[in-house]
Amino acid sequence: MAKRPPIANRVKQLREAHDGMSQAALAKEIGVTRQTVIAIEQGRYSPSLESAFRIARVFGVGLEDVFSWDEAQDS
Amino acid sequence: MSFREKTAWGMGLILIVAGAWYFSKIVSVSSALGHTSPPDLRFFIGYVTLVVITSIIVNVVLAIMSGQEANAPVDEREKAILDKAGHWSGYVLAVGAFGGLWHFGWLGDGNLLFHIIFGALMLSQIAEYAFQIFLYRRGV
């Protein structure tokens, strides 16, 4: 089984707090497919630095407000 | 399920069915001859035609069903999946090729070498789609 990246994120919470923005709308904003947004939210994929910045910019927050290092997953 | 994952399922199944058809013909001819069948252009053309026609049909149907998603360019995650699956499938092809050469070194059967190499090509392509499906589902 593929190892999950040790990076947690709050994309789903931020999306829902952002007027319930849909996964498709976020995907369009950052230039990826909806499945990639789903994979990011489920922690199955860590986006590139560029996409990470794009996500943070969509929500108007800093990068570390969206992504954080997951110590438990890392150990 | 994304358009590209559906495509991987479709192409994988097509290659399995076409490969099974091809090798069933080779095995039946080999049994009749009592030795390994030489490469047969009719079966080869039949295999290629079957794969090309069915893959066009499957891709067109999936594209119609998926709408705009089918026209979307490959994104960064999909590119990583395609790269990794292609890399892993290269090992399958290499193992098959070395297996064929090893057999040829021992048995000196050029016909068998052809079938093993051709089978390795088929298998590596099937493996590539299987790896893609695995990575789409489990993460890359």
Side-chain angles (χ1 to χ4, degrees), chain A residues 1-2 32-33 35-36 39 44-45 47-48 51, chain B residues 2 69 75-78 134 136-140:
Chain A
M1 186 184 292
V32 298
T33 61
Q35 281 74 26
T36 294
R44 288 187 289 115
Y45 175 66
S48 67
S51 292
Chain B
S2 71
E69 196 192 339
D75 75 6
E76 60 181 47
R77 174 174 149 271
E78 291 170 331
F134 172 80
Y136 274 120
R137 292 181 165 249
R138 298 291 183 170
V140 60

Side-chain angles (χ1 to χ4, degrees), chain A residues 25-33 51 54, chain B residues 73-76:
Chain A
L26 177 60
K28 195 174 177 185
E29 288 275 349
I30 61 173
V32 298
T33 61
S51 292
R54 286 186 189 281
Chain B
V74 174
D75 75 6
E76 60 181 47

Side-chain angles (χ1 to χ4, degrees), chain A residues 1 3-4 14 33 57-58 70 74:
Chain A
M1 186 184 292
K3 190 172 181 271
R4 282 177 183 253
L14 288 164
T33 61
R57 282 170 64 89
V58 166
D70 189 345
D74 189 35

Side-chain angles (χ1 to χ4, degrees), chain A residues 8-15 59 64-68:
Chain A
N9 72 76
R10 296 178 54 242
V11 172
K12 189 176 180 185
Q13 293 94 310
L14 288 164
R15 190 171 52 74
F59 298 128
E64 292 203 54
D65 295 318
V66 186
F67 298 97
S68 58

